Amino acid sequence: MASNGLSGVEKKVAFSLASVFGLRMMGLFMIMPVFALYGQHLEGFSPLWVGIAIGAYGLTQAVLQIPMGMLSDKYGRKPIILAGLVLFAIGSVIAATSDHIYGVVLGRAIQGMGAIAAAVLALAADLTRDEQRTKVMAVIGVCIGFSFALSLLVGPVVTQMVGLTGLFYLTALFAVLGMLIVQFFVPNPVTQAPKGDTVATPSKLKKLLFNPQLFRLDAGIFILHLVLTAVFVALPLDLVDAGLAKEKHWMLYFPAFVGAFFLMVPLIIIGVKRNNSKTMFQLSLLIMMLALATMGVFADSIWVLSIAVLLFFTGFNYLEASLPSLIAKFCPVGEKGSAMGVYSTSQFLGAFCGGMLGGGAYQYLGASGVFFAALALMVIWLILSIGMEQPVLLKSYTLEANIQDKAHAQGMATELSQLSGVAEAIVVLEENVAYLKVDDKFNLSEARAVLGSVN
């Protein structure tokens, strides 16, 4: 009988890979609250190039995210992850040694070329049992959120002490630490999880792009990270203009992020208990819109800006946490890897476009122009969300199947779909797996019996 908890190996996998993910994300995020303030000595400095430098990683991440995942299928997870971390370290050193903002942009773009997210998640899937995989992914997800919050604290403090050069060298050190963790602490996989669960399949991407429910979510994560990046081009400069010294910005960011986390919890609880996550989703959009409007109107009041930042992170945290789970609920069975590939590409492309929009809008319209442009995009997202369906509370299973031929697979799929609690079933001959979406009436032992007994 399978254990209800994580095994020792699975705990090691969860925390080691979460550490790798967290170190890398901190390296990307620490620059956001400080670059507009501490990069003014660079040749070629301008608000537009500040935005490009902050968001440059997003373009290369968006382009290479899916290919890097596919390469990890061909050449192995660890070699691709290690290669990505090497690229991240190289980009960090280039940015650290540059006296020109163009060099920082180049370094940030090379950092983004180390697009290891798909390979890391695929490795986590390879090393965990299906019934425990969700817990491992949740640990990694929490670590990503924590790394973002910590970057708002560490970024300003480190930059005040050692400058931008020291900050970029620290990100290079994070990459080296990540390589050591992957090499010496992450177990070596002996099997690969089914492709439908992990990396993108090119033939499925077009269909997923035009799935109306997934399109709303992909457009949403694009707008969310566009707005986040754009806001952090303008907000640090705006806070200085409002009277908050740059070395004290962490005293606003970090408490606001932590406070927003606690304010987000009731939204999650209400959404789950009353099964009205769509309403909570739209409420979070409205909270972010209120925050952006407040930033735009009261740009010179530090106390009002502080409240606006708290509201902004409350909405952001809820949306950032809920969007991946909604992708999993709405994606067709057996296509989670491809759906998440499109989602991640949209996310990173949004970060790049946010840097461009934030820098351009600040240069020509000022901070308020950035906040109102971001508000307009949030209005578009709210309109798109009107057609979003209320997600059905289903669980996903990926089960090994002893399949003889195509007819055998079709017979399995038919019998599985007739079991109590099974909403959707697909059996893939090439992968020897069955993908299921089920409700609370589902009996796992019945499904296992089918997968081992159909003739």
Side-chain angles (χ1 to χ4, degrees):
M1 184 175 179
S3 170
N4 290 324
L6 295 176
S7 67
V9 170
E10 286 168 336
K11 289 177 182 177
K12 187 177 182 181
V13 169
F15 290 103
S16 59
L17 290 180
S19 299
V20 173
F21 226 129
L23 287 169
R24 182 173 171 278
M25 297 308 287
M26 275 193 69
L28 290 172
F29 286 142
M30 283 193 301
I31 188 179
M32 292 181 67
V34 300
F35 189 68
L37 302 174
Y38 289 88
Q40 298 182 16
H41 68 282
L42 295 168
E43 293 182 41
F45 178 91
S46 71
L48 176 59
W49 279 101
V50 166
I52 294 173
I54 290 176
Y57 79 93
L59 180 61
T60 46
Q61 284 262 45
V63 171
L64 294 175
Q65 189 75 337
I66 291 175
M68 289 284 275
M70 294 167 61
L71 286 173
S72 77
D73 256 352
K74 185 174 182 179
Y75 297 107
R77 312 299 189 203
K78 278 194 172 184
I80 296 302
I81 294 170
L82 290 170
L85 290 170
V86 168
L87 284 171
F88 187 84
I90 292 172
S92 300
V93 172
I94 290 174
T97 55
S98 179
D99 295 324
H100 204 292
I101 198 165
Y102 301 153
V104 176
V105 171
L106 175 63
R108 290 282 286 174
I110 294 174
Q111 281 183 329
M113 290 173 65
I116 62 171
V120 170
L121 295 177
L123 180 57
D126 293 343
L127 293 167
T128 53
R129 294 165 292 165
D130 175 71
E131 60 268 23
Q132 302 299 331
R133 194 169 295 151
T134 301
K135 296 178 184 177
V136 173
M137 298 301 182
V139 171
I140 294 174
V142 169
C143 190
I144 293 172
F146 180 73
S147 69
F148 179 72
L150 195 59
S151 70
L152 299 180
L153 170 63
V154 174
V157 172
V158 170
T159 310
Q160 182 187 349
M161 294 170 61
V162 297
L164 272 181
T165 297
L167 184 69
F168 281 121
Y169 277 127
L170 179 62
T171 65
L173 177 61
F174 284 172
V176 173
L177 289 174
M179 285 186 268
L180 293 174
I181 292 170
V182 171
Q183 187 64 31
F184 297 109
F185 291 94
V186 178
N188 292 308
V190 293
T191 60
Q192 279 196 357
K195 291 182 180 180
D197 247 5
T198 54
V199 300
T201 305
S203 60
K204 297 178 180 178
L205 297 180
K206 183 177 180 181
K207 181 180 72 172
L208 294 174
L209 279 170
F210 294 100
N211 179 304
Q213 297 305 319
L214 294 178
F215 174 80
R216 288 181 172 87
L217 301 176
D218 294 332
I221 195 64
F222 173 85
I223 292 173
L224 185 65
H225 278 258
L226 188 157
V227 167
L228 175 70
T229 309
V231 163
F232 270 100
V233 173
L235 183 60
L237 295 166
D238 200 24
L239 291 173
V240 169
D241 291 340
L244 184 65
K246 61 184 180 182
E247 60 269 14
K248 295 183 179 180
H249 284 198
W250 69 270
M251 298 173 67
L252 186 156
Y253 292 140
F254 192 69
F257 196 92
V258 173
F261 176 81
F262 288 103
L263 290 176
M264 170 193 73
V265 172
L267 298 177
I268 295 176
I269 293 173
I270 294 171
V272 171
K273 283 191 173 181
R274 299 185 180 180
N275 193 23
N276 62 349
S277 56
K278 178 180 176 180
T279 301
M280 295 299 103
F281 187 91
Q282 291 176 324
L283 177 59
S284 297
L285 291 175
L286 291 172
I287 290 172
M288 282 191 70
M289 289 166 61
L290 175 61
L292 290 166
T294 303
M295 290 178 188
V297 174
F298 300 99
D300 57 349
S301 172
I302 189 63
W303 293 108
V304 177
L305 282 174
S306 299
I307 295 171
V309 170
L310 175 64
L311 292 174
F312 180 87
F313 281 134
T314 299
F316 175 86
N317 286 350
Y318 180 85
L319 294 167
E320 180 80 356
S322 63
L323 280 167
S325 64
L326 290 172
I327 287 282
K329 289 182 174 71
F330 283 123
C331 76
V333 65
E335 298 181 15
K336 188 187 298 181
S338 298
M340 291 304 297
V342 175
Y343 172 85
S344 296
T345 299
S346 302
Q347 173 182 346
F348 292 120
L349 189 60
F352 171 71
C353 293
M356 296 280 288
L357 174 68
Y362 188 90
Q363 186 161 320
Y364 296 107
L365 301 172
S368 292
V370 175
F371 301 139
F372 285 126
L375 174 61
L377 289 168
M378 296 299 296
V379 171
I380 293 172
W381 188 6
L382 181 64
I383 293 170
L384 282 174
S385 75
I386 293 173
M388 188 175 84
E389 296 176 359
Q390 182 70 37
V392 180
L393 296 178
L394 297 175
K395 295 180 181 179
S396 296
Y397 282 89
T398 304
L399 304 175
E400 293 183 3
N402 184 18
I403 310 171
Q404 299 170 7
D405 51 36
K406 187 174 182 179
H408 189 205
Q410 291 174 340
M412 280 185 174
T414 299
E415 190 160 347
L416 286 169
S417 64
Q418 294 171 350
L419 293 178
S420 177
V422 176
E424 192 175 359
I426 183 173
V427 178
V428 182
L429 173 62
E430 294 77 11
E431 300 177 22
N432 283 310
V433 295
Y435 296 106
L436 306 177
K437 280 194 173 182
V438 303
D439 61 25
D440 292 337
K441 299 177 183 177
F442 174 68
N443 187 313
L444 180 58
S445 61
E446 290 180 357
R448 293 194 189 279
V450 169
L451 295 173
S453 65
V454 174
N455 295 314

